[in-house]
Amino acid sequence: AYIKQELASNDPSHDFAHIERVRKLALRLAADEAVPADRIEIIELAALLHDLKDYKYSGSLTAGEEGAREFLGSQSFDPERTEAVISIIKSVGFKREVGGRVEVESIEHGIVQDADRLDAIGAIGIARTFSYGGHKGRPFYDPADPPRRDMTTEDYIASGGSGCTINHFYEKLLKLAALMKTPSGRRLAEQRHAYMEAFLEQFTAEIEGRR
């Protein structure tokens, strides 16, 4: 109830339904990767709390970590396991890998990161991208605004991507399949990535009047 309430004002790209999907994916990946039972709770909590006070909505790069720690403290959760959850949450975002792949500290980190990124690609990823673009008032596409393929982490944080929605696919989403950290995550990402590529081909063809 707490997380649902905290995300109530977010648009559908980062609402509670997104959290539920990431949780389900994380638990599936944990099962596929045979994660020990005593680590499942940490994975599940990180998945549930990973978008709390997200910087895209709160404007703060530290509010999410602080909010998650405060919530877990209010539940008298074990301090050591709390820090394990926080460590995973801090590793989820793409901003750490704008300049290239960064390896994760543990299988738990990789599972939650992969789960969140799987929800950013494929059919759901397409829907979420246009939802967020609408939330920000961005046009679908703009031939005068090509994707920026050489952004720094600072550029990415400052801009949240370029001005038009379609650029987000080229600046981030098409890169995610290659950044998956678990074998099961990579397998799921393959089909979702292919679906996005087919969508972009059709999208471009329709813009150009070829289909």
Side-chain angles (χ1 to χ4, degrees):
Y2 167 73
I3 300 165
K4 189 172 185 178
Q5 181 179 349
E6 284 288 317
L7 302 182
S9 62
N10 288 7
D11 68 281
S13 69
H14 293 80
D15 63 1
F16 188 66
H18 163 63
I19 299 300
E20 290 181 312
R21 291 190 302 271
V22 172
R23 173 184 172 273
K24 290 175 186 176
L25 282 165
L27 293 176
R28 174 183 175 175
L29 296 179
D32 289 348
E33 300 299 327
V35 171
D38 68 336
R39 307 303 290 176
I40 298 299
E41 182 182 45
I42 289 171
I43 289 170
E44 187 168 15
L45 283 169
L48 288 168
L49 295 166
H50 81 276
D51 267 346
L52 185 65
K53 303 183 189 300
D54 185 281
Y55 79 93
K56 292 186 289 297
Y57 299 88
S58 69
S60 169
L61 291 172
T62 60
E65 171 189 345
E66 292 162 359
R69 184 177 284 110
E70 181 180 351
F71 171 73
L72 292 172
S74 74
Q75 304 301 304
S76 300
F77 194 62
D78 177 76
E80 183 176 346
R81 290 171 75 81
T82 292
E83 292 311 308
V85 171
I86 300 302
S87 178
I88 294 172
I89 291 172
K90 289 169 66 175
S91 76
V92 169
F94 174 71
K95 57 185 177 291
R96 298 175 68 249
E97 294 189 289
V98 172
R101 186 182 181 90
V102 176
E103 295 303 328
V104 291
E105 295 178 29
S106 71
I107 187 66
E108 294 91 354
H109 288 73
I111 283 170
V112 179
Q113 188 185 96
D114 282 4
D116 185 51
R117 293 177 177 185
L118 284 166
D119 203 58
I121 60 178
I124 286 288
I126 293 168
R128 291 182 65 214
T129 300
F130 283 95
S131 173
Y132 187 72
H135 168 70
K136 301 292 284 187
R138 294 174 178 166
F140 288 168
Y141 63 94
D142 181 356
D145 179 24
R148 293 186 295 169
R149 303 176 189 275
D150 58 349
M151 283 196 297
T152 64
T153 299
E154 290 74 22
D155 291 337
Y156 180 79
I157 293 171
S159 68
S162 295
C164 62
T165 296
I166 204 67
N167 286 358
H168 190 59
F169 289 90
Y170 300 98
E171 294 169 349
K172 175 183 176 180
L173 305 187
L174 289 172
K175 300 177 181 180
L176 295 183
L179 295 175
M180 293 290 156
K181 303 304 190 301
T182 65
S184 49
R186 284 191 288 273
R187 286 193 297 271
L188 289 173
E190 286 178 6
Q191 192 275 335
R192 296 188 184 212
H193 181 86
Y195 189 94
M196 280 197 308
E197 289 185 317
F199 165 78
L200 291 168
E201 181 181 355
Q202 180 71 20
F203 188 87
T204 301
E206 290 183 15
I207 291 172
E208 297 173 351
R210 293 187 282 108
R211 293 182 188 170

